[in-house]
Amino acid sequence: MGMGGLKKMALLDAQRRPPAWLRRLRETKKFFEPCSLHAGALGRSTRSAGSCNYFCTSCDDGGALCSGCLADHAGHEIIQIRRSSSHCLVKVADLRRLLNVSYVQTYMINGEPGVFLDKRALPGKAKKPAANKCTECNRGLNDADCLFCSLGCKANGIEDLLDFNITFAVDPRGDSSGEESESESETETETESSDDDDTFLLPTKSRKLGTSPGSPRQVTARGRRSR
């Protein structure tokens, strides 16, 4: 391969990698804790008042924010963090303009698809072996066309897998966030939950997220067998 081809591959590889703010988001540990600045100042009209369940993707030093902090981030890209079974997730709709979540298993939260930020501990005993598993952590996946159980596993997968179809880059020609269309909204079971409860959310029924029909499932991994 010539120098021009190598430069093009390097550019494509850089473009598909996760943005810097995603690492900061994953490393933030204080979500759903009381805000040190506003916990006492805000009213208690909701049980999450004063709780840090927002994140600013525009700020390089951003951490967990509460609703009272948002006035200082006017005009910034803010996403709301949700929680299920003590694990953080984000609604796919909130990531539409920011991140391509294709190949990540989605779960329903209040009737809308969401994705977990990071992998979760595997259950001690599974009822039966899963036919489809996360490429990175082996968690069972409901959707046969998904490769990852979380954004964190996809970020790690981009490092491991030599497949340029796997990307975080949002396609400017259309919605590549992975949000399902109205005709694809069927789910196995939908569990209603508030933004910060501990109710487990069941995965959406099989459908491909943010990928064109016929996109290859097979990927080549460094030191791994091809799928």
Side-chain angles (χ1 to χ4, degrees):
M1 183 180 294
M3 185 61 70
L6 290 174
K7 288 183 177 179
K8 183 177 181 180
M9 285 190 63
L11 177 61
L12 290 173
D13 191 48
Q15 290 175 339
R16 74 191 184 106
R17 291 178 180 275
W21 63 261
L22 181 59
R23 177 180 292 276
R24 296 195 301 272
L25 172 61
R26 293 174 56 204
E27 292 177 348
T28 299
K29 304 299 184 183
K30 295 186 177 181
F31 287 123
F32 298 99
E33 292 185 8
C35 178
S36 59
L37 298 176
H38 303 104
L42 296 176
R44 296 295 177 181
S45 57
T46 65
R47 64 176 178 173
S48 60
S51 177
C52 294
N53 62 332
Y54 293 92
F55 181 84
C56 179
T57 67
S58 303
C59 293
D60 293 337
D61 58 349
L65 305 172
C66 78
S67 57
C69 298
L70 299 185
D72 294 330
H73 296 266
H76 293 186
E77 289 283 2
I78 304 294
I79 58 177
Q80 185 173 357
I81 310 303
R82 323 281 172 158
R83 186 168 65 179
S84 175
S85 301
S86 300
H87 294 277
C88 293
L89 57 111
V90 180
K91 286 185 177 180
V92 172
D94 293 345
L95 298 172
R96 184 195 303 273
R97 299 184 304 273
L98 302 171
L99 210 63
N100 183 330
V101 301
S102 59
Y103 295 114
V104 180
Q105 178 70 64
T106 61
Y107 296 80
M108 299 304 289
I109 177 169
N110 292 338
E112 296 184 50
V115 288
F116 281 99
L117 296 188
D118 275 304
K119 66 180 182 180
R120 294 158 287 149
L122 294 173
K125 293 182 179 180
K127 294 182 180 179
K128 59 180 180 179
N132 306 295
K133 294 183 179 181
C134 175
T135 301
E136 292 297 307
C137 73
N138 289 324
R139 171 174 282 276
L141 302 176
N142 188 66
D143 191 331
D145 293 309
C146 287
L147 292 172
F148 311 105
C149 70
S150 65
L151 296 178
C153 281
K154 180 174 178 177
N156 294 334
I158 284 180
E159 298 285 344
D160 297 335
L161 306 176
L162 299 176
D163 186 340
F164 285 82
N165 291 303
I166 302 174
T167 179
F168 277 115
V170 176
D171 189 344
R173 297 170 298 179
D175 178 19
S176 58
S177 67
E179 186 172 11
E180 64 190 42
S181 66
E182 186 173 340
S183 62
E184 296 175 315
S185 59
E186 184 180 9
T187 63
E188 281 191 350
T189 303
E190 183 175 314
T191 303
E192 288 296 320
S193 64
S194 66
D195 293 344
D196 59 350
D197 74 1
D198 291 325
T199 305
F200 183 72
L201 307 178
L202 295 176
T204 56
K205 200 167 184 178
S206 295
R207 53 180 165 71
K208 184 163 289 187
L209 303 176
T211 57
S212 59
S215 295
R217 178 75 166 82
Q218 185 173 356
V219 295
T220 303
R222 297 189 184 100
R224 301 185 183 183
R225 292 183 180 179
S226 301
R227 283 180 171 268

